[in-house]
Each structure stands twice: as structure tokens, then as C-alpha cells.
């Protein structure tokens, strides 16, 4: 839900995912702390993607040297998203993990955060910004990234568990220019202070419109612009075939000889793709002159 605090240079967004997020949870075997981090980055990425002026995609990626080695969220401008997280084989999860970016992702201080914007429009190329992991939470990490890249003061409040993801974004716009013209110079600190009263438990327990009314009941948020979000994975058997062909025939033959088949699971949706020895051999069958695929 998008909104503009009328008469102030502050815009906002609220996101809540339930069914779509539970679809992600059902496809990954992750502990509570890992799911919470994945959910928070999912919510934050969708909030940022909603600000895009193009019809492409935004991909947020955290790479670290801790028990969680990778978190990736891909958001499409049409509201589709997919998320995944990968645990390290070298660093076991703490016995009682907390939702702490420094501990779970960046204990060695060498972690990186990247956002890739792909307009997917003719004549426009993709852009990637990479920064060190600065901050002990997903919200602080994204805030610092936004200030560096967009020079727009941005604040985020995020919460996630197995059932729901909830998040609030506030962004200060220029006092003049565009659609915002305001002399309310106190608005930005005032609205931040109100939002700082949010607790993760109430964000997860209450509906977004209820939360916005509780927070900003003395403000005029104007009409809420609603937009649906959904889990959607772009994997397919054809894409897996193309990936296997890139590995080459010798590599595929070696896997089949050792395992009897080639098995690939999508890291986002966990869909299995299997190729027995006949399928594997067919990957490298020549294509007819007329373009017809001759594989059986």
C-alpha cells in the first residue's frame, strides 16, 4: 500500500505478505532466524521495487562468510517475487541463533550487499551497486544503501516469521519540486518518531491499514494505492537444459556415470528436474537444418 502524507515531503509504503510468503516458507527447510532474515530482505526488496519507474526487475543479494552464506530476492515490476537462502557448509548455525546480520551473515566483516536493477527495456542496460554489509539489521543495511545510491533519506521497519512478512518504508522527498511542495520541515523527524514505536509482534499481528491508522491518525495519508504481490518462480525445464548444455557433454556424461542420472533442484522453488541417461544423451543431439529439435 502506497501513501503520501498530505502537506509534507514524506511518502510511504506498507507491505504485508501472508499466503505468498507461506509459499516460500513451504519450499525451504530453514530455521526461524534464517527465515526471518529472508523474510525481512523479501519485504524490503518489494518495498524498494515498488519505487521503480521501469517495468524490469530488482534483485537484492547478501553474500557473507557466516552460517548464512547467501540470501537472494528477485522482484519483478508486476508484483511477482521469489526468494532463497543458502546455509554455509563451513560454519554451523549457532545453537540459539538470533536475527542478527553481523552474527549470521557477516562475522568476518567481509560480507557484501548488492542490488541489481534490470530495466529489461530496449536501449537500457542493467545496473548493479555493491557495498559492504554495514549495519546489524536488514533495515539498517537497506537504509544506508539507499542514502548512498539515491541520496534520499529512507527509513525501514521490518518483521517476519513463518506466517507473515510486514514492513514500512518512509522516504523524505525534496521540499520543493515534483508533486511535493511543503514547508513542514518538522514532518520527517516527527513521522520517524511515530514509526519508531512499531514493535515486530504488532506488525505481524495487525493488518496494514490498522497499523497505518494507529501510527498516523493525526496525519492525512491520502488515498491508499494498493498493489497485489505473489510468489512466482521463473524456472523451467528448458532453462535447466540450457544450463546443462553449457556444462558440456563430458561433464554431463561423468555425472550420469557416477550417479545414473542428472538431478537439478531450483534453489528458489525447490522444483526437481531429473534427466536419466537417455535424456542426458539427448541434450547434445544435433538440431536439424530446418531448426527442428531432433532429440527424442
Amino acid at each position: 500500500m502506497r501513501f503520501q502524507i498530505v502537506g509534507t515531503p514524506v511518502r510511504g509504503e506498507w507491505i504485508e505478505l501472508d499466503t505468498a510468503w507461506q509459499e516460500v516458507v513451504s519450499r525451504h527447510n530453514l530455521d526461524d532466524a534464517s527465515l526471518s532474515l529472508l523474510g525481512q530482505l523479501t519485504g524490503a526488496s518489494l518495498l524498494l521495487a515498488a519505487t521503480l519507474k521501469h517495468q524490469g526487475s530488482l534483485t537484492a543479494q547478501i553474500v557473507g562468510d557466516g552460517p548464512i552464506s547467501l540470501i537472494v530476492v528477485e522482484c519483478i515490476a508486476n508484483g511477482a517475487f521469489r526468494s532463497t537462502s543458502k546455509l554455509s557448509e563451513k560454519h554451523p548455525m549457532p545453537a540459539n541463533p538470533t536475527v542478527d546480520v553481523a552474527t549470521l551473515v557477516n562475522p568476518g566483516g567481509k560480507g557484501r550487499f548488492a542490488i541489481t536493477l534490470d530495466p529489461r527495456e530496449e536501449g537500457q542496460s542493467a545496473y548493479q551497486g555493491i557495498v559492504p554489509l554495514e549495519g546489524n539489521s536488514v533495515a539498517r543495511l537497506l537504509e544506508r544503501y539507499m542514502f548512498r545510491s539515491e541520496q534520499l533519506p529512507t527509513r525501514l521497519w521490518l518483521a517476519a516469521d513463518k506466517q507473515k512478512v510486514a514492513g514500512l518504508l518512509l522516504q523524505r522527498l525534496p521540499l520543493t519540486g515534483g508533486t511535493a511542495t511543503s514547508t513542514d520541515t518538522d514532518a520527517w523527524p516527527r513521522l520517524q518518531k511515530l514509526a519508531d514505536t512499531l514493535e515486530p509482534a504488532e506488525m505481524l499481528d495487525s493488518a496494514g491499514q490498522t497499523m497505518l491508522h494507529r501510527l498516523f491518525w493525526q496525519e492525512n495519508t491520502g488515498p491508499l494505492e494498493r498493489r497485489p504481490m505473489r510468489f512466482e518462480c521463473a524456472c523451467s525445464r528448458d532453462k535447466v537444459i540450457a544450463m546443462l548444455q553449457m556444462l558440456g557433454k563430458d561433464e554431463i556424461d561423468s555425472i550420469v556415470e557416477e550417479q545414473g542420472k542428472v538431478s537439478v533442484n531450483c534453489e528458489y522453488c525447490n522444483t526437481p528436474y531429473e534427466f536419466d541417461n537417455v535424456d542426458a544423451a539427448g541434450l547434445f543431439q544435433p538440431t536439424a537444418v530446418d531448426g527442428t529439435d531432433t532429440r527424442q
Side-chain angles (χ1 to χ4, degrees):
M1 294 183 289
R2 291 178 178 177
F3 58 92
Q4 172 82 38
I5 305 294
V6 179
T8 78
V10 180
R11 61 175 295 276
E13 298 170 5
W14 177 276
I15 188 168
E16 56 185 47
L17 304 173
D18 40 46
T19 304
W21 172 240
Q22 290 161 26
E23 183 73 19
V24 175
V25 172
S26 69
R27 295 171 183 267
H28 297 278
N29 183 24
L30 296 173
D31 60 276
D32 290 349
S34 301
L35 277 175
S36 183
L37 276 185
L38 179 61
Q40 289 180 48
L41 185 62
T42 298
S45 301
L46 286 167
L47 287 168
L48 294 184
T51 68
L52 295 180
K53 294 182 174 64
H54 57 71
Q55 294 302 307
S57 66
L58 177 150
T59 301
Q61 184 180 69
I62 294 176
V63 180
D65 56 4
I68 300 176
S69 60
L70 179 69
I71 307 175
V72 185
V73 180
E74 181 183 38
C75 308
I76 311 299
N78 62 9
F81 75 93
R82 58 181 185 169
S83 314
T84 189
S85 182
K86 185 176 181 180
L87 302 183
S88 171
E89 297 179 357
K90 297 180 180 179
H91 306 285
M93 189 68 65
N96 297 297
T98 58
V99 185
D100 181 310
V101 171
T103 300
L104 295 182
V105 184
N106 196 36
K110 298 181 180 179
R112 293 291 182 267
F113 174 65
I115 283 188
T116 303
L117 302 176
D118 185 358
R120 301 185 182 182
E121 297 175 357
E122 187 176 353
Q124 297 191 38
S125 52
Y127 163 81
Q128 184 177 67
I130 304 175
V131 297
L133 288 183
E134 297 178 340
N136 206 31
S137 69
V138 173
R140 299 295 86 78
L141 174 64
L142 269 291
E143 289 169 1
R144 293 182 181 185
Y145 175 86
M146 287 296 293
F147 185 75
R148 284 185 172 187
S149 62
E150 303 292 336
Q151 286 79 52
L152 283 176
T154 303
R155 290 290 311 277
L156 287 142
W157 293 262
L158 303 165
D161 60 15
K162 290 183 177 181
Q163 300 299 319
K164 185 177 177 180
V165 171
L168 171 67
L169 176 148
L170 292 179
Q171 198 166 63
R172 188 182 72 186
L173 304 174
L175 288 175
T176 58
T179 58
T181 301
S182 173
T183 58
D184 189 352
T185 56
D186 180 57
W188 180 239
R190 181 178 75 248
L191 296 170
Q192 287 183 84
K193 186 175 293 186
L194 291 172
D196 279 335
T197 64
L198 280 171
E199 295 291 340
E202 64 177 340
M203 292 177 69
L204 296 172
D205 289 342
S206 302
Q209 191 163 350
T210 300
M211 292 303 304
L212 292 178
H213 177 72
R214 185 187 75 75
L215 286 173
F216 307 125
W217 64 274
Q218 290 184 307
E219 311 286 344
N220 181 0
T221 60
L224 295 175
E225 180 187 340
R226 299 175 182 271
R227 187 180 188 188
M229 302 290 172
R230 68 186 185 280
F231 170 79
E232 182 178 285
C233 190
C235 73
S236 69
R237 189 174 181 85
D238 286 343
K239 290 182 179 180
V240 174
I241 287 174
M243 181 269 293
L244 295 177
Q245 289 172 332
M246 290 179 64
L247 291 178
K249 188 176 187 304
D250 291 344
E251 180 68 19
I252 297 302
D253 287 346
S254 175
I255 295 173
V256 172
E257 183 178 352
E258 180 182 343
Q259 302 179 12
K261 62 181 179 181
V262 179
S263 298
V264 178
N265 272 46
C266 175
E267 294 186 352
Y268 287 99
C269 67
N270 211 26
T271 298
Y273 296 93
E274 294 192 350
F275 302 81
D276 59 22
N277 59 341
V278 176
D279 294 330
L283 295 174
F284 302 96
Q285 290 288 337
T287 302
V289 175
D290 64 358
T292 303
D293 193 343
T294 62
R295 291 173 298 184
Q296 299 298 317

